Amino acid sequence: MLSDLTIYAGGVVLLIGALFTLLASIGVVRLPDLYTRMHAASKAGAVGGGLILIAVALHSQDTAVTVRAIMGVVFLLLTTPVSAHLLARASYLAGYSPIASTKPDELARSREQNSAT
């Protein structure tokens, strides 16, 4: 009974994770510039990947696999936002401007300071 429940819960979590991953990929294709695409990939992609790992943990019913899946989720949650932030900042400082409708542009002063030196 409990085994069946965890398998069904794993299936539901897997579908939700796949939906988030699909939304992330649609966002990467549809959004207008590098920064919004990066936002979609980092936020929805991390949630989708994390949910898929949780589904693997629920479905496996093995402690070793569960621990590794939870470590993977923690790794995703810790590294994805930091790496997306660093990539976006490096892209901005390299000259990739956001679209005109992005307000406010708080890094404009940093760009001016870096170009002056």
Side-chain angles (χ1 to χ4, degrees):
M1 176 70 181
L2 187 59
S3 174
D4 292 339
L5 184 64
T6 57
I7 289 173
Y8 288 127
V12 169
V13 173
L14 179 65
L15 286 176
I16 294 170
L19 178 66
F20 269 97
T21 305
L22 175 67
L23 290 174
S25 59
I26 290 172
V28 168
V29 173
R30 297 283 301 173
L31 291 174
D33 68 345
L34 170 77
Y35 304 103
T36 53
R37 290 176 184 160
M38 192 177 298
H39 178 78
S42 64
K43 302 300 185 276
V47 171
L51 287 174
I52 290 171
L53 284 173
I54 290 172
V56 167
L58 287 173
H59 187 73
S60 70
Q61 300 179 356
D62 182 16
T63 305
V65 173
T66 302
V67 168
R68 282 186 232 146
I70 290 171
M71 288 174 56
V73 170
V74 170
F75 181 77
L76 271 177
L77 293 178
L78 289 177
T79 59
T80 303
V82 173
S83 62
H85 173 78
L86 291 176
L87 285 172
R89 184 172 174 85
S91 299
Y92 187 86
L93 294 177
Y96 290 99
S97 297
I99 60 173
S101 63
T102 300
K103 302 288 181 195
D105 188 3
E106 294 179 354
L107 288 176
R109 189 173 47 167
S110 296
R111 180 188 278 177
E112 292 169 4
Q113 289 173 349
N114 286 339
S115 65
T117 58

XYZ file of all heavy atoms in Angstrom:
850
model
N 0.826 -1.194 0.000
C 0.000 0.000 0.000
C 0.865 1.251 0.000
O 0.666 2.129 -0.822
C -0.921 -0.033 1.222
C -1.762 1.182 1.402
S -3.016 1.265 0.116
C -3.804 2.759 0.530
N 1.815 1.347 0.925
C 2.702 2.505 0.984
C 3.608 2.550 -0.236
O 3.900 3.637 -0.757
C 3.534 2.471 2.272
C 4.386 3.706 2.546
C 3.496 4.949 2.640
C 5.184 3.533 3.804
N 4.027 1.372 -0.700
C 4.864 1.316 -1.894
C 4.119 1.845 -3.111
O 4.690 2.596 -3.917
C 5.311 -0.126 -2.130
O 5.989 -0.230 -3.339
N 2.854 1.481 -3.249
C 2.054 1.988 -4.365
C 1.884 3.499 -4.278
O 1.954 4.207 -5.286
C 0.688 1.322 -4.385
C 0.764 -0.152 -4.729
O 1.778 -0.558 -5.327
O -0.182 -0.878 -4.383
N 1.681 3.996 -3.063
C 1.500 5.435 -2.871
C 2.757 6.200 -3.268
O 2.665 7.243 -3.930
C 1.125 5.721 -1.415
C 0.804 7.170 -1.086
C -0.443 7.612 -1.861
C 0.590 7.333 0.399
N 3.932 5.708 -2.889
C 5.172 6.411 -3.261
C 5.410 6.348 -4.762
O 5.937 7.300 -5.339
C 6.386 5.838 -2.508
O 6.493 4.452 -2.783
C 6.289 6.090 -1.033
N 5.019 5.258 -5.390
C 5.179 5.178 -6.849
C 4.260 6.183 -7.542
O 4.678 6.893 -8.457
C 4.926 3.739 -7.331
C 6.073 2.837 -6.883
C 4.775 3.702 -8.853
C 5.854 1.372 -7.168
N 3.017 6.280 -7.096
C 2.101 7.271 -7.684
C 2.580 8.695 -7.403
O 2.523 9.569 -8.272
C 0.686 7.074 -7.164
C 0.012 5.833 -7.714
C -0.545 4.892 -6.874
C -0.053 5.621 -9.096
C -1.149 3.755 -7.374
C -0.652 4.485 -9.607
C -1.199 3.554 -8.740
O -1.790 2.432 -9.253
N 3.034 8.937 -6.175
C 3.546 10.277 -5.842
C 4.769 10.603 -6.691
O 4.910 11.736 -7.174
C 3.885 10.354 -4.354
N 5.639 9.626 -6.897
C 6.798 9.836 -7.755
C 6.396 10.155 -9.184
O 7.000 11.014 -9.829
N 5.365 9.497 -9.676
C 4.883 9.778 -11.023
C 4.317 11.179 -11.156
O 4.575 11.883 -12.142
N 3.566 11.605 -10.144
C 2.988 12.955 -10.178
C 4.101 14.004 -10.111
O 4.097 14.987 -10.873
C 1.982 13.133 -9.020
C 1.580 14.584 -8.865
C 0.760 12.267 -9.244
N 5.074 13.792 -9.221
C 6.181 14.744 -9.104
C 7.010 14.759 -10.391
O 7.470 15.816 -10.836
C 7.045 14.409 -7.866
C 8.299 15.258 -7.815
C 6.231 14.605 -6.600
N 7.170 13.597 -11.012
C 7.900 13.530 -12.278
C 7.177 14.328 -13.363
O 7.815 15.077 -14.130
C 8.063 12.077 -12.710
C 8.788 11.850 -14.036
C 10.229 12.312 -13.923
C 8.727 10.390 -14.419
N 5.860 14.222 -13.436
C 5.107 14.990 -14.429
C 5.211 16.490 -14.168
O 5.356 17.286 -15.113
C 3.647 14.546 -14.429
C 3.380 13.190 -15.062
C 1.901 12.828 -14.905
C 3.762 13.191 -16.524
N 5.144 16.878 -12.911
C 5.267 18.307 -12.592
C 6.668 18.806 -12.957
O 6.827 19.895 -13.518
C 4.941 18.554 -11.103
C 3.466 18.237 -10.830
C 5.254 19.991 -10.712
C 3.110 18.223 -9.355
N 7.690 18.013 -12.654
C 9.055 18.397 -13.019
C 9.228 18.492 -14.524
O 9.894 19.407 -15.025
N 8.627 17.568 -15.254
C 8.702 17.621 -16.717
C 7.983 18.851 -17.246
O 8.437 19.481 -18.209
C 8.101 16.351 -17.310
N 6.867 19.234 -16.606
C 6.146 20.440 -17.023
C 7.015 21.685 -16.807
O 7.087 22.556 -17.683
C 4.836 20.557 -16.253
C 4.004 21.791 -16.561
C 3.497 21.740 -18.007
C 2.850 21.904 -15.598
N 7.680 21.774 -15.660
C 8.561 22.916 -15.404
C 9.703 22.949 -16.416
O 10.076 24.011 -16.906
C 9.121 22.863 -13.980
C 8.273 23.578 -12.981
C 7.374 22.879 -12.211
C 8.370 24.941 -12.807
C 6.583 23.522 -11.289
C 7.584 25.610 -11.885
C 6.685 24.896 -11.125
N 10.252 21.797 -16.736
C 11.338 21.745 -17.710
C 10.849 22.156 -19.092
O 11.543 22.873 -19.816
C 11.936 20.327 -17.741
O 12.323 19.969 -16.409
C 13.153 20.270 -18.631
N 9.635 21.732 -19.444
C 9.049 22.147 -20.718
C 8.837 23.662 -20.749
O 9.148 24.324 -21.748
C 7.723 21.424 -20.952
C 6.946 21.850 -22.195
C 7.698 21.438 -23.457
C 5.560 21.241 -22.185
N 8.327 24.224 -19.638
C 8.135 25.669 -19.578
C 9.466 26.409 -19.693
O 9.544 27.464 -20.327
C 7.413 26.048 -18.289
C 5.953 25.621 -18.208
C 5.384 25.928 -16.831
C 5.139 26.299 -19.279
N 10.511 25.865 -19.087
C 11.832 26.494 -19.201
C 12.311 26.485 -20.635
O 12.840 27.486 -21.137
C 12.832 25.773 -18.300
N 12.123 25.383 -21.329
C 12.578 25.316 -22.713
C 11.742 26.218 -23.617
O 12.273 26.841 -24.534
C 12.576 23.878 -23.208
O 11.295 23.337 -23.130
N 10.451 26.338 -23.351
C 9.618 27.278 -24.116
C 10.079 28.713 -23.849
O 10.163 29.538 -24.766
C 8.131 27.085 -23.764
C 7.634 25.754 -24.322
C 7.288 28.238 -24.314
C 6.241 25.373 -23.866
N 10.409 29.007 -22.593
C 10.906 30.342 -22.257
C 12.213 30.660 -22.953
O 12.421 31.783 -23.413
N 13.089 29.687 -23.066
C 14.368 29.908 -23.753
C 14.126 30.229 -25.228
O 14.790 31.088 -25.810
C 15.286 28.687 -23.589
C 16.479 28.766 -24.516
C 15.750 28.570 -22.156
N 13.151 29.592 -25.818
C 12.877 29.827 -27.241
C 12.103 31.124 -27.454
O 12.374 31.866 -28.392
C 12.092 28.629 -27.825
C 11.635 28.908 -29.236
C 12.947 27.379 -27.776
N 11.147 31.430 -26.575
C 10.210 32.520 -26.828
C 10.618 33.875 -26.257
O 10.176 34.902 -26.760
C 8.837 32.159 -26.247
C 8.190 30.970 -26.873
C 7.599 31.266 -28.183
N 6.606 32.334 -27.997
C 5.989 32.931 -28.965
N 6.221 32.591 -30.194
N 5.101 33.882 -28.722
N 11.403 33.940 -25.213
C 11.679 35.221 -24.563
C 12.648 36.059 -25.410
O 13.431 35.514 -26.182
C 12.199 34.989 -23.151
C 11.127 34.439 -22.204
C 11.716 34.088 -20.862
C 9.994 35.432 -22.032
N 12.591 37.395 -25.261
C 13.228 38.255 -26.256
C 14.740 38.438 -26.158
O 15.373 38.732 -27.167
C 12.522 39.599 -26.030
C 12.106 39.580 -24.620
C 11.776 38.156 -24.319
N 15.337 38.350 -24.991
C 16.774 38.626 -24.948
C 17.484 37.622 -24.043
O 16.877 36.751 -23.427
C 17.048 40.057 -24.497
C 16.683 40.320 -23.060
O 15.956 39.498 -22.485
O 17.114 41.332 -22.505
N 18.789 37.749 -23.984
C 19.644 36.816 -23.250
C 19.261 36.707 -21.785
O 19.205 35.609 -21.228
C 21.109 37.272 -23.371
C 22.113 36.567 -22.491
C 22.409 35.205 -23.077
C 23.364 37.380 -22.355
N 18.949 37.832 -21.160
C 18.723 37.847 -19.716
C 17.396 37.188 -19.339
O 17.320 36.457 -18.352
C 18.801 39.285 -19.207
C 20.106 39.898 -19.585
C 20.197 40.792 -20.633
C 21.273 39.530 -18.931
C 21.411 41.334 -21.009
C 22.488 40.052 -19.296
C 22.550 40.955 -20.338
O 23.754 41.463 -20.718
N 16.367 37.452 -20.099
C 15.087 36.807 -19.789
C 15.139 35.311 -20.124
O 14.542 34.503 -19.420
C 13.931 37.487 -20.545
O 14.250 37.527 -21.936
C 13.689 38.882 -20.024
N 15.863 34.959 -21.170
C 16.026 33.537 -21.478
C 16.806 32.834 -20.376
O 16.486 31.715 -19.971
C 16.755 33.368 -22.807
C 15.938 33.764 -23.979
C 16.730 33.663 -25.243
N 15.931 34.145 -26.355
C 16.426 34.526 -27.492
N 17.730 34.477 -27.696
N 15.650 34.952 -28.453
N 17.843 33.513 -19.887
C 18.636 32.938 -18.806
C 17.802 32.795 -17.538
O 17.941 31.817 -16.795
C 19.859 33.816 -18.552
C 20.884 33.186 -17.670
S 22.330 34.214 -17.479
C 22.902 34.298 -19.162
N 16.914 33.748 -17.304
C 16.023 33.678 -16.149
C 15.124 32.447 -16.242
O 14.987 31.706 -15.272
C 15.184 34.957 -16.079
C 14.205 34.971 -14.973
N 14.557 35.219 -13.677
C 12.881 34.733 -14.971
C 13.477 35.146 -12.916
N 12.442 34.850 -13.681
N 14.544 32.226 -17.410
C 13.663 31.071 -17.581
C 14.431 29.764 -17.409
O 13.961 28.841 -16.732
C 13.010 31.109 -18.966
N 15.603 29.709 -17.989
C 16.377 28.464 -17.910
C 16.848 28.183 -16.497
O 16.843 27.031 -16.044
C 17.564 28.537 -18.859
N 17.243 29.225 -15.780
C 17.789 28.982 -14.443
C 16.701 28.698 -13.414
O 16.861 27.809 -12.579
C 18.649 30.159 -13.998
O 17.866 31.325 -13.879
N 15.602 29.429 -13.456
C 14.570 29.243 -12.432
C 13.736 27.984 -12.700
O 13.690 27.070 -11.877
C 13.647 30.454 -12.366
C 14.336 31.754 -12.086
C 15.055 31.744 -10.772
C 15.643 33.090 -10.442
N 16.927 33.374 -11.028
N 13.085 27.949 -13.836
C 12.200 26.814 -14.113
C 13.003 25.536 -14.369
O 12.553 24.445 -14.012
C 11.299 27.132 -15.299
N 14.179 25.678 -14.946
C 15.012 24.499 -15.175
C 15.489 23.866 -13.885
O 15.509 22.635 -13.749
N 15.866 24.702 -12.922
C 16.309 24.168 -11.628
C 15.162 23.508 -10.877
O 15.330 22.428 -10.289
C 16.935 25.277 -10.788
N 13.996 24.125 -10.906
C 12.835 23.534 -10.226
C 12.444 22.222 -10.905
O 12.170 21.215 -10.245
C 11.658 24.527 -10.204
C 10.396 23.853 -9.713
C 11.984 25.709 -9.324
N 12.430 22.237 -12.242
C 12.076 21.016 -12.966
C 13.066 19.890 -12.725
O 12.672 18.749 -12.463
N 14.350 20.215 -12.790
C 15.364 19.196 -12.520
C 15.306 18.684 -11.099
O 15.467 17.486 -10.834
N 15.056 19.593 -10.151
C 14.937 19.189 -8.753
C 13.743 18.284 -8.516
O 13.824 17.288 -7.791
N 12.618 18.616 -9.149
C 11.432 17.771 -8.989
C 11.637 16.397 -9.623
O 11.169 15.387 -9.090
C 10.207 18.468 -9.582
C 9.674 19.646 -8.771
C 8.563 20.345 -9.524
C 9.186 19.184 -7.410
N 12.337 16.360 -10.741
C 12.619 15.065 -11.366
C 13.516 14.225 -10.459
O 13.307 13.013 -10.301
C 13.223 15.276 -12.763
C 12.144 15.816 -13.709
C 13.814 13.985 -13.311
C 12.657 16.264 -15.052
N 14.488 14.853 -9.820
C 15.344 14.107 -8.885
C 14.547 13.617 -7.674
O 14.777 12.506 -7.174
C 16.521 14.973 -8.438
C 17.629 15.140 -9.462
C 18.657 16.150 -8.964
C 18.298 13.803 -9.731
N 13.608 14.423 -7.196
C 12.756 13.984 -6.088
C 11.891 12.804 -6.527
O 11.685 11.849 -5.760
C 11.911 15.161 -5.569
C 12.819 16.164 -4.853
C 10.824 14.683 -4.633
C 12.133 17.453 -4.474
N 11.420 12.849 -7.754
C 10.638 11.723 -8.272
C 11.475 10.450 -8.337
O 10.989 9.359 -8.015
C 10.083 12.069 -9.651
N 12.729 10.592 -8.725
C 13.623 9.433 -8.743
C 13.798 8.885 -7.328
O 13.768 7.668 -7.116
C 14.984 9.818 -9.369
C 16.028 8.748 -9.117
C 14.831 10.072 -10.851
N 13.935 9.784 -6.358
C 14.087 9.351 -4.967
C 12.846 8.614 -4.480
O 12.940 7.596 -3.788
C 14.386 10.557 -4.078
N 11.673 9.128 -4.841
C 10.433 8.477 -4.405
C 10.246 7.124 -5.085
O 9.798 6.156 -4.466
C 9.236 9.378 -4.718
C 9.071 10.605 -3.840
C 7.948 11.486 -4.375
C 8.768 10.191 -2.409
N 10.580 7.067 -6.342
C 10.343 5.848 -7.105
C 11.340 4.743 -6.770
O 10.986 3.553 -6.807
C 10.383 6.146 -8.599
C 9.982 4.998 -9.447
N 8.667 4.582 -9.552
C 10.698 4.155 -10.210
C 8.619 3.540 -10.341
N 9.837 3.256 -10.765
N 12.566 5.108 -6.407
C 13.604 4.087 -6.200
C 13.382 3.281 -4.928
O 13.679 2.097 -4.883
C 14.975 4.738 -6.149
O 15.117 5.478 -4.967
N 12.891 3.948 -3.885
C 12.695 3.310 -2.573
C 13.974 2.665 -2.064
O 13.960 1.604 -1.457
C 11.553 2.301 -2.639
C 10.251 2.937 -3.021
C 9.129 1.949 -3.123
O 9.310 0.747 -2.977
N 7.938 2.437 -3.372
N 15.093 3.330 -2.350
C 16.407 2.877 -1.897
C 17.074 4.062 -1.218
O 17.100 5.174 -1.766
C 17.226 2.404 -3.098
C 18.588 1.872 -2.704
O 18.793 1.581 -1.518
O 19.453 1.762 -3.601
N 17.619 3.829 -0.041
C 18.188 4.921 0.738
C 19.371 5.565 0.027
O 19.498 6.798 0.024
C 18.631 4.402 2.122
O 17.519 3.768 2.738
C 19.098 5.536 2.995
N 20.231 4.778 -0.576
C 21.406 5.333 -1.246
C 21.007 6.229 -2.415
O 21.556 7.321 -2.600
C 22.311 4.207 -1.725
N 20.032 5.790 -3.192
C 19.569 6.594 -4.331
C 18.878 7.858 -3.831
O 19.059 8.946 -4.383
C 18.632 5.757 -5.223
C 18.013 6.611 -6.307
C 19.391 4.593 -5.830
N 18.098 7.729 -2.764
C 17.400 8.883 -2.203
C 18.378 9.940 -1.705
O 18.205 11.129 -1.958
C 16.475 8.428 -1.064
O 15.557 7.461 -1.572
C 15.718 9.589 -0.470
N 19.415 9.496 -1.011
C 20.423 10.452 -0.503
C 21.108 11.156 -1.672
O 21.299 12.380 -1.650
C 21.435 9.724 0.402
C 22.633 10.610 0.698
C 20.758 9.288 1.688
N 21.478 10.415 -2.694
C 22.122 11.041 -3.859
C 21.181 12.009 -4.567
O 21.599 13.074 -5.025
C 22.597 9.969 -4.822
C 23.867 9.317 -4.364
C 24.386 8.360 -5.402
N 24.610 7.104 -4.709
C 24.443 5.912 -5.213
N 24.060 5.765 -6.459
N 24.667 4.841 -4.501
N 19.913 11.650 -4.663
C 18.954 12.546 -5.312
C 18.774 13.825 -4.509
O 18.715 14.918 -5.070
C 17.617 11.830 -5.496
N 18.698 13.705 -3.193
C 18.557 14.902 -2.356
C 19.809 15.767 -2.453
O 19.723 17.000 -2.520
C 18.237 14.498 -0.903
C 16.819 13.926 -0.845
C 18.370 15.674 0.040
C 16.453 13.299 0.474
N 20.980 15.138 -2.495
C 22.216 15.907 -2.675
C 22.216 16.612 -4.030
O 22.688 17.752 -4.153
C 23.431 14.990 -2.537
C 23.672 14.542 -1.112
S 24.985 13.317 -0.933
C 26.367 14.133 -1.674
N 21.673 15.962 -5.042
C 21.562 16.602 -6.351
C 20.639 17.807 -6.328
O 20.925 18.835 -6.944
N 19.520 17.683 -5.602
C 18.582 18.806 -5.489
C 19.251 19.977 -4.770
O 19.156 21.129 -5.210
C 17.302 18.369 -4.755
C 16.437 19.560 -4.408
C 16.529 17.369 -5.585
N 19.941 19.689 -3.683
C 20.636 20.748 -2.938
C 21.697 21.406 -3.832
O 21.832 22.639 -3.860
C 21.256 20.181 -1.644
C 22.184 21.187 -0.984
C 20.151 19.748 -0.684
N 22.434 20.591 -4.578
C 23.450 21.129 -5.477
C 22.811 22.033 -6.532
O 23.322 23.133 -6.816
C 24.213 19.985 -6.145
C 25.296 20.434 -7.064
C 26.499 20.892 -6.561
C 25.114 20.412 -8.438
C 27.501 21.327 -7.410
C 26.102 20.834 -9.297
C 27.306 21.290 -8.772
N 21.702 21.607 -7.109
C 21.002 22.433 -8.100
C 20.534 23.752 -7.490
O 20.702 24.820 -8.093
C 19.792 21.689 -8.644
C 19.982 20.799 -9.842
C 18.673 20.098 -10.181
C 20.464 21.583 -11.024
N 19.947 23.685 -6.305
C 19.410 24.894 -5.690
C 20.511 25.857 -5.272
O 20.288 27.072 -5.210
C 18.531 24.529 -4.491
C 17.240 23.784 -4.844
C 16.477 23.420 -3.578
C 16.372 24.622 -5.769
N 21.696 25.339 -4.956
C 22.789 26.220 -4.548
C 23.547 26.795 -5.736
O 23.998 27.943 -5.698
C 23.762 25.465 -3.639
C 23.259 25.126 -2.252
C 24.298 24.314 -1.486
C 22.912 26.376 -1.479
N 23.732 26.037 -6.783
C 24.615 26.469 -7.864
C 23.915 27.162 -9.025
O 24.511 28.036 -9.660
C 25.405 25.277 -8.419
O 24.493 24.297 -8.906
C 26.300 24.674 -7.363
N 22.699 26.803 -9.316
C 22.039 27.364 -10.500
C 21.817 28.878 -10.400
O 22.156 29.605 -11.345
C 20.710 26.633 -10.772
O 20.978 25.246 -10.921
C 20.055 27.153 -12.022
N 21.288 29.407 -9.301
C 21.111 30.866 -9.241
C 22.435 31.619 -9.270
O 22.544 32.666 -9.911
C 20.383 31.096 -7.919
C 19.838 29.804 -7.520
C 20.690 28.754 -8.123
N 23.444 31.094 -8.598
C 24.743 31.777 -8.562
C 25.376 31.786 -9.953
O 25.867 32.823 -10.425
C 25.672 31.105 -7.529
C 27.072 31.688 -7.601
C 25.100 31.243 -6.142
N 25.346 30.649 -10.627
C 25.956 30.599 -11.956
C 25.177 31.458 -12.949
O 25.776 32.128 -13.802
C 26.053 29.159 -12.439
O 24.774 28.595 -12.565
N 23.851 31.491 -12.853
C 23.061 32.339 -13.755
C 23.366 33.812 -13.506
O 23.501 34.597 -14.451
C 21.572 32.065 -13.570
N 23.497 34.187 -12.246
C 23.831 35.573 -11.924
C 25.202 35.951 -12.484
O 25.367 37.016 -13.096
C 23.799 35.783 -10.412
C 24.292 37.119 -9.989
N 23.525 38.244 -10.099
C 25.491 37.510 -9.496
C 24.220 39.288 -9.674
N 25.419 38.858 -9.297
N 26.172 35.081 -12.295
C 27.524 35.384 -12.776
C 27.565 35.444 -14.299
O 28.229 36.315 -14.874
C 28.515 34.349 -12.244
C 28.768 34.418 -10.739
C 29.681 33.275 -10.317
C 29.373 35.748 -10.354
N 26.873 34.542 -14.972
C 26.830 34.577 -16.435
C 26.128 35.836 -16.946
O 26.582 36.454 -17.925
C 26.137 33.336 -16.983
C 26.944 32.050 -16.943
C 26.069 30.871 -17.324
C 28.123 32.152 -17.887
N 25.046 36.225 -16.295
C 24.324 37.428 -16.726
C 25.174 38.671 -16.510
O 25.242 39.552 -17.371
C 22.999 37.540 -15.963
N 25.832 38.743 -15.391
C 26.685 39.916 -15.121
C 27.855 39.979 -16.096
O 28.176 41.047 -16.616
C 27.193 39.873 -13.688
C 27.991 41.092 -13.314
C 28.305 41.108 -11.833
N 29.178 42.178 -11.500
C 28.797 43.420 -11.248
N 27.520 43.718 -11.297
N 29.671 44.349 -10.947
N 28.476 38.852 -16.367
C 29.581 38.829 -17.329
C 29.094 39.206 -18.723
O 29.774 39.946 -19.449
C 30.232 37.453 -17.344
N 27.910 38.746 -19.097
C 27.353 39.103 -20.404
C 27.075 40.594 -20.483
O 27.344 41.235 -21.498
C 26.064 38.324 -20.668
O 26.315 36.948 -20.671
N 26.531 41.137 -19.407
C 26.231 42.573 -19.397
C 27.510 43.385 -19.517
O 27.590 44.337 -20.308
C 25.484 42.936 -18.116
C 25.004 44.366 -18.115
C 23.791 44.693 -18.694
C 25.771 45.370 -17.560
C 23.347 45.998 -18.709
C 25.345 46.682 -17.570
C 24.131 46.992 -18.146
O 23.701 48.279 -18.167
N 28.499 43.035 -18.743
C 29.759 43.784 -18.790
C 30.502 43.568 -20.103
O 31.321 44.400 -20.489
C 30.637 43.401 -17.596
C 30.069 43.813 -16.235
C 30.981 43.326 -15.115
C 29.858 45.320 -16.154
N 30.220 42.476 -20.795
C 30.835 42.236 -22.103
C 30.122 43.004 -23.208
O 30.617 43.040 -24.335
C 30.819 40.746 -22.422
N 28.970 43.625 -22.899
C 28.323 44.470 -23.884
C 26.976 43.992 -24.386
O 26.397 44.637 -25.255
N 26.451 42.898 -23.875
C 25.122 42.445 -24.281
C 24.096 43.237 -23.484
O 23.892 42.997 -22.308
C 24.941 40.956 -24.025
C 25.753 40.094 -24.927
C 26.961 39.561 -24.513
C 25.319 39.817 -26.217
C 27.726 38.776 -25.345
C 26.075 39.041 -27.060
C 27.273 38.521 -26.620
O 28.016 37.750 -27.459
N 23.461 44.185 -24.128
C 22.486 45.042 -23.458
C 21.135 44.348 -23.392
O 20.762 43.632 -24.317
C 22.333 46.354 -24.208
O 23.555 47.041 -24.199
N 20.385 44.631 -22.305
C 19.018 44.096 -22.248
C 18.128 44.860 -23.214
O 18.502 45.910 -23.739
C 18.609 44.339 -20.799
C 19.516 45.395 -20.297
C 20.765 45.309 -21.084
N 16.933 44.329 -23.460
C 16.015 45.008 -24.375
C 15.617 46.341 -23.777
O 15.773 46.580 -22.573
C 14.783 44.129 -24.674
C 14.009 43.816 -23.397
C 15.181 42.873 -25.398
C 12.704 43.096 -23.657
N 15.089 47.223 -24.612
C 14.789 48.590 -24.191
C 13.720 48.650 -23.113
O 13.700 49.580 -22.307
C 14.355 49.405 -25.404
N 12.847 47.671 -23.053
C 11.775 47.712 -22.055
C 12.232 47.273 -20.666
O 11.448 47.319 -19.729
C 10.609 46.835 -22.517
O 11.017 45.497 -22.609
N 13.473 46.867 -20.506
C 13.984 46.485 -19.191
C 14.271 47.736 -18.386
O 15.113 48.542 -18.751
C 15.267 45.648 -19.325
O 14.978 44.480 -20.075
C 15.799 45.262 -17.961
N 13.548 47.914 -17.312
C 13.707 49.080 -16.436
C 13.751 48.604 -15.016
O 12.998 47.716 -14.650
C 12.549 50.059 -16.603
C 12.353 50.568 -17.981
C 13.423 51.514 -18.354
C 13.145 52.005 -19.776
N 14.214 52.654 -20.403
N 14.501 49.161 -14.137
C 15.623 50.063 -14.342
C 16.889 49.270 -14.671
O 16.972 48.082 -14.358
C 15.751 50.741 -12.988
C 15.312 49.707 -12.010
C 14.242 48.931 -12.732
N 17.835 49.916 -15.262
C 19.115 49.304 -15.599
C 20.122 49.688 -14.517
O 20.838 50.675 -14.631
C 19.564 49.793 -16.971
C 20.784 49.039 -17.456
O 21.237 48.119 -16.764
O 21.280 49.396 -18.542
N 20.146 48.896 -13.457
C 20.980 49.243 -12.309
C 22.462 48.953 -12.519
O 23.293 49.402 -11.747
C 20.473 48.494 -11.072
C 19.084 48.942 -10.649
C 18.566 48.189 -9.452
O 19.229 47.235 -9.004
O 17.491 48.550 -8.978
N 22.801 48.213 -13.543
C 24.210 47.921 -13.792
C 24.850 48.920 -14.757
O 26.026 48.797 -15.068
C 24.364 46.506 -14.355
C 24.137 45.382 -13.366
C 24.226 44.039 -14.065
C 25.142 45.449 -12.246
N 24.088 49.899 -15.235
C 24.645 50.867 -16.188
C 25.814 51.619 -15.569
O 26.823 51.877 -16.232
C 23.561 51.830 -16.643
N 25.710 51.950 -14.306
C 26.801 52.669 -13.636
C 28.043 51.786 -13.549
O 29.157 52.252 -13.728
C 26.363 53.116 -12.251
C 27.365 54.037 -11.610
C 26.874 54.618 -10.340
N 26.288 53.548 -9.511
C 25.984 53.666 -8.249
N 26.191 54.792 -7.643
N 25.455 52.682 -7.576
N 27.882 50.497 -13.303
C 29.028 49.584 -13.254
C 29.705 49.499 -14.611
O 30.923 49.458 -14.697
C 28.576 48.183 -12.831
O 28.061 48.197 -11.546
N 28.893 49.482 -15.671
C 29.472 49.430 -17.010
C 30.280 50.694 -17.283
O 31.377 50.631 -17.830
C 28.382 49.278 -18.056
C 28.963 49.218 -19.462
C 27.905 49.251 -20.506
N 27.349 47.920 -20.687
C 26.348 47.647 -21.498
N 25.797 48.620 -22.199
N 25.895 46.434 -21.625
N 29.750 51.852 -16.888
C 30.469 53.110 -17.099
C 31.764 53.142 -16.300
O 32.785 53.604 -16.786
C 29.572 54.281 -16.709
C 28.389 54.448 -17.635
C 27.384 55.438 -17.092
O 27.642 56.057 -16.039
O 26.328 55.590 -17.724
N 31.709 52.621 -15.079
C 32.923 52.600 -14.264
C 33.965 51.664 -14.855
O 35.154 51.971 -14.851
C 32.594 52.167 -12.838
C 31.832 53.200 -12.060
C 31.384 52.676 -10.710
O 31.470 51.480 -10.443
N 30.909 53.566 -9.864
N 33.533 50.534 -15.379
C 34.486 49.586 -15.956
C 35.052 50.093 -17.274
O 36.207 49.821 -17.590
C 33.828 48.228 -16.165
C 33.638 47.502 -14.867
O 34.306 47.805 -13.889
N 32.730 46.549 -14.839
N 34.272 50.839 -18.053
C 34.796 51.341 -19.319
C 35.741 52.512 -19.110
O 36.591 52.772 -19.941
C 33.646 51.744 -20.241
O 32.946 52.840 -19.686
N 35.606 53.240 -17.977
C 36.482 54.372 -17.698
C 37.871 53.928 -17.290
O 38.843 54.653 -17.458
C 35.883 55.244 -16.600
N 37.999 52.733 -16.761
C 39.327 52.299 -16.295
C 40.108 51.595 -17.364
O 39.713 51.207 -18.343
C 39.207 51.340 -15.100
O 38.423 50.221 -15.457
C 38.637 52.062 -13.912
